[in-house]
Amino acid sequence: MGIKRYGVTDEEWERIEKLIPKSKMGRTRKDDRLILNAMIWLARSGAGWEDMPERYGSWKTVYSRFCKWRDD
């Protein structure tokens, strides 16, 4: 079960990308598409945040971005 199964396609990303809130801070951050794919993996798999595969990076980063996007 890789990124392709749970990730967005290039066409889907083109439609979604402009809807994702951008960072108001000047620092570099993890790729929005990778973070979104991690959120999709979590929702589809039913796993907990801490069980997220390492290929998505830190679960804390994904959770933090999820909360920011939810609040925005």
Side-chain angles (χ1 to χ4, degrees):
M1 292 185 230
I3 289 176
K4 292 184 182 195
R5 179 171 182 184
Y6 291 119
V8 295
T9 65
D10 290 340
E11 182 180 332
E12 291 167 333
W13 180 244
E14 285 180 26
R15 297 165 128 186
I16 295 168
E17 183 178 19
K18 62 184 170 264
L19 303 173
I20 304 236
K22 299 299 176 205
S23 174
K24 294 176 179 112
M25 303 172 94
R27 35 180 224 194
T28 305
R29 63 186 204 165
K30 284 272 192 188
D31 177 54
D32 287 331
R33 186 173 179 176
L34 180 66
I35 298 293
L36 179 61
N37 286 340
M39 292 177 198
I40 292 169
W41 182 89
L42 285 164
R44 299 271 319 257
S45 71
W49 291 101
E50 297 89 355
D51 298 325
M52 189 178 68
E54 290 181 16
R55 68 178 171 261
Y56 295 116
S58 166
W59 70 267
K60 292 176 185 178
T61 300
V62 178
Y63 179 74
S64 174
R65 190 82 55 90
F66 169 79
C67 291
K68 170 138 182 39
W69 289 353
R70 176 199 63 202
D71 295 346
D72 284 350

